Amino acid sequence: MIEAYSIKRTRNIGIMAHIDAGKTTTTERILFYTGRVHRLGEVDKGTATMDWMAQEQERGITITSAATTCYWKDHRINIIDTPGHVDFTVEVERALRVLDGAVAIFCGVAGVQSQSETVWRQANKYGVPRVAFVNKMDRVGADFLRVVQMVNRDLSNHAVAIQLPIGSEDSFQGIIDLIQLKALIYEDDLGVEAIERPLTPDEMELSLHWRSHLIEQIAEHDEEVLRLYLEENPIDDSIIKAGLRRLTLANKLVPVLCGSSFRNKGVQLLLDAIVDFLPSPGDVPVTSGIDPQSGETIMRRSEVDQPLTALAFKIMVDPYVGKLTYFRVYAGSVKSGAVVYNVRTRKRERINRILRMHANHREEVDTAYAGDIVAAVGLKDTVTGDTLSTEDHPILLESMTFPEPVLSVAIEPRSKEDEDKIGEALGRLGEEDPTFKVYTDAETGQSIISGMGELHLEIITDRLLREFKVNANIGKPQVAYKETAKIKAKAEGKFIRQTGGRGQYGHVILEIKPLAEGAGFSFVDVSNDSSIPREFVSAIEEGIRGALQAGILAGYPVVDIEIRLVGGSFHEVDSSEGSFKMAASLAFKEVMSIANPILIEPIMDLEIQGPEEYTGEVIGDLNGRRGRVLGMYENQGIRNIKGHVPLSEMFGYATDLRSRTQGRGTFSMQFSHHEEVPEYRTREIVARRYGIQK
């Protein structure tokens, strides 16, 4: 039966790493060796198959995760190539949510970098088994065993080498397989043929040492191998492989391989490891979700005879076929033309077509089975994180959470025609990207778009101008500050109007309480029917939520508070939803003003690499930017500095760092948390904000 065969022999994997570690180049080599493409694409030349967007080809970076399917040794491998830049970390998050396994790529010189840690934590969050590939072994300074040590030190103490490089830097020529104790030498430029040869005496001595270490690591966690090890029985290749597969699937070991994707060395062995050690959908035996009616946990087996269970994880607007909804089928199957049930919206939607994607190319299929990752045409109201099922057997899968944007820019259309176009374009971009937010500034009437960083906003505005043909003026990036309360408080708001006929009357008493960072907003009704009729409570909540959009200090959104409706009063004739909505807004502003309101700002995790001789100057500059150094370590004469710094102090930092290190310093940063803005800075921000508006 083809469905069962495809589940067992399917691998759904993601390629993840820090920017410039070689993810897309590795994926291009995988596509070449599996026969999916017949020429090697290069990132630097803008010819990479998976980097199909114009912005990706121009910049030589991956911006959006791209999916493709290839075949290796009678197995089907669905691959999602994810971005490495921190501004697009949402692409990694939603890919890992639906994948069964991952390949973590590390640079053989730099080893574990800041974004390596982020994607590793994301894989831990979803319990994704992984293998590691130490790339760029041909580069000056590459050191395979040092990178394995770094992975064990910084990410996981379960990384274990299953290969060793033969030579290094310019002399890197092949790979030792520690499981089979053989050497593979690459002699042709394309790396299609690897010549097998026996190990030299020196290679054999080194290999036996690391093979023994590998067996010890497996025996530590696997009873079958432990028994053979203690009885000093021979442990053959198949037993090592089987034990390593069991432990990889259980996230107890991470096999580490090596190679050079750009030089076409080691990628076929990586494909073997994907097939040998990473899970099929059948190895993830059940998917759990919630029954939307009873709230009880439901289990669905990863089989085609189960009711349909699928998760939409990505929306993309295709210029030829319209809105594409990428989804993973966890159980059951769905045919093209079928009606599915969106559990969140409780609506039925029709899937007009099902497409298997190869980057931006499409291949139409009739049916998607359990284990498939495909795209649907025709789903109008489905968004990222929605569960698709049958109406008779609904199930709600765990959705995804995304970080809040940290940077904003104002955007103004140049004409009435552009105003209409910009609304539609921003709506479509918002559907695609859950970390992209749009709101209207109540004071200026401008549209404000928010994202995860300067590059993120740059790509969005570039797409608006180029892809959607919108003529607009774009402002400079601004930090997305938030407002919150520091203390509990209680206040009331009254909205009373008498105009001769029927008047308006609303009276609301609110309490405010600070919540932990990231808690958002919570509304609790503890009033009684005698003070406020139940039909007005939803209008009160709506009034508060509207007021949250512009705080009282500087008009920034208010977060991390709980508002309790504790009382009020009403008039039998004059009270209405509108009057209570206004009273709630007034009460919120009053209670916020006496709850010690503060501004909070995004604080970034910062990692700087540069020559040791410039360390003092770099740290001095960081201190001047209100930064804090958290730690330092040295790697081959390069000093790595880790710290926290407010995002507002980091505009233009790349140029400053280059000038302080004679062009040799680099840095990366990502959002960490919010902190209270110092009082003197709050005064400056408030004055600047209202000074501009006057």
Side-chain angles (χ1 to χ4, degrees), residues 475-535:
K476 290 183 178 179
Q478 304 288 328
V479 174
Y481 294 101
K482 309 277 188 193
E483 298 186 23
T484 193
K486 282 196 81 172
I487 62 172
K488 290 182 179 179
K490 183 176 179 180
E492 65 179 350
K494 289 183 177 179
F495 183 70
I496 303 172
R497 293 285 187 275
Q498 287 302 135
T499 53
R502 180 178 173 178
Q504 296 186 53
Y505 183 95
H507 174 215
V508 172
I509 303 172
L510 302 178
E511 284 183 352
I512 190 169
K513 182 176 88 170
L515 297 179
E517 186 194 341
F521 168 67
S522 173
F523 176 75
V524 182
D525 174 24
V526 293
S527 64
N528 55 57
D529 292 351
S530 62
S531 58
I532 299 176
R534 297 300 89 194
E535 64 262 29

Side-chain angles (χ1 to χ4, degrees), residues 18 94 99 130 140 180 233 291 308 365 504 542 581 597 613 650:
H18 186 88
R94 57 185 174 186
L99 292 170
R130 68 217 77 157
V140 174
Q180 298 183 39
N233 288 326
D291 184 322
L308 173 66
V365 294
Q504 296 186 53
E542 191 181 339
K581 189 174 173 182
E613 59 264 35
M650 294 302 287

Side-chain angles (χ1 to χ4, degrees), residues 106-148:
F106 300 94
C107 172
V109 182
V112 175
Q113 297 166 275
S114 58
Q115 189 66 1
S116 315
E117 297 180 23
T118 301
V119 297
W120 196 273
R121 283 196 302 269
Q122 289 171 311
N124 286 343
K125 176 179 173 181
Y126 295 114
V128 177
R130 68 217 77 157
V131 299
F133 181 66
V134 180
N135 192 24
K136 303 190 178 184
M137 289 306 302
D138 59 313
R139 292 280 186 92
V140 174
D143 186 335
F144 174 69
L145 292 175
R146 180 178 59 80
V147 177
V148 176

Side-chain angles (χ1 to χ4, degrees), residues 232-494:
E232 298 186 357
N233 288 326
I235 301 174
D236 64 28
D237 304 353
S238 61
I239 292 172
I240 294 175
K241 269 190 178 179
L244 191 54
R245 177 176 177 79
R246 285 193 294 271
L247 295 174
T248 304
L249 299 190
N251 269 316
K252 291 182 178 177
L253 283 184
V254 178
V256 188
L257 301 88
C258 62
S260 169
S261 298
F262 186 68
R263 300 293 176 199
N264 311 314
K265 293 177 171 66
V267 178
Q268 296 102 317
L269 296 179
L270 174 61
L271 278 162
D272 288 343
I274 289 168
V275 166
D276 290 341
F277 304 123
L278 291 181
S280 73
D283 293 315
V284 186
V286 293
T287 299
S288 65
I290 301 294
D291 184 322
Q293 277 135 14
S294 68
E296 295 176 358
T297 301
I298 314 174
M299 297 294 185
R300 293 271 166 87
R301 297 190 312 278
S302 302
E303 296 171 4
V304 294
D305 59 359
Q306 291 280 293
L308 173 66
T309 305
L311 183 75
F313 68 94
K314 179 180 169 73
I315 307 296
M316 195 180 87
V317 179
D318 187 291
Y320 300 103
V321 298
K323 180 179 170 182
L324 283 176
T325 305
Y326 284 75
F327 66 98
R328 158 76 190 263
V329 184
Y330 285 95
S333 63
V334 60
K335 283 183 173 291
S336 180
V339 173
V340 296
Y341 181 66
N342 185 321
V343 182
R344 178 186 63 87
T345 62
R346 300 185 179 182
K347 291 181 181 176
R348 286 174 288 182
E349 292 198 70
R350 183 179 297 279
I351 293 179
N352 296 332
R353 296 161 65 196
I354 298 174
L355 306 173
R356 195 178 299 285
M357 301 300 293
H358 176 52
N360 62 332
H361 301 290
R362 299 160 297 278
E363 173 192 338
E364 195 154 341
V365 294
D366 179 59
T367 307
Y369 298 103
D372 281 350
I373 293 176
V374 290
V377 180
L379 298 175
K380 293 183 174 61
D381 297 322
T382 300
V383 299
T384 298
D386 280 359
T387 304
L388 304 174
S389 71
T390 60
E391 196 167 359
D392 297 339
H393 299 91
I395 182 173
L396 188 62
L397 299 178
E398 182 189 357
S399 190
M400 292 168 267
T401 55
F402 302 112
E404 284 294 308
V406 295
L407 270 189
S408 302
V409 297
I411 183 164
E412 288 181 338
R414 292 180 184 169
S415 67
K416 182 70 176 93
E417 183 189 352
D418 289 316
E419 193 174 330
D420 297 334
K421 283 165 69 177
I422 205 169
E424 182 188 347
L426 291 174
R428 287 166 69 177
L429 288 170
E431 276 189 330
E432 288 187 21
D433 186 350
T435 60
F436 167 61
K437 307 286 185 193
V438 184
Y439 68 95
T440 302
D441 189 311
E443 297 282 341
T444 63
Q446 291 176 314
S447 291
I448 307 294
I449 60 175
S450 302
M452 299 306 297
E454 289 182 87
L455 181 61
H456 188 199
L457 291 175
E458 201 178 307
I459 297 298
I460 286 170
T461 52
D462 189 41
R463 288 187 66 191
L464 277 174
L465 302 175
R466 190 189 307 194
E467 194 176 313
F468 294 97
K469 307 287 191 295
V470 172
N471 289 312
N473 297 317
I474 313 292
K476 290 183 178 179
Q478 304 288 328
V479 174
Y481 294 101
K482 309 277 188 193
E483 298 186 23
T484 193
K486 282 196 81 172
I487 62 172
K488 290 182 179 179
K490 183 176 179 180
E492 65 179 350
K494 289 183 177 179

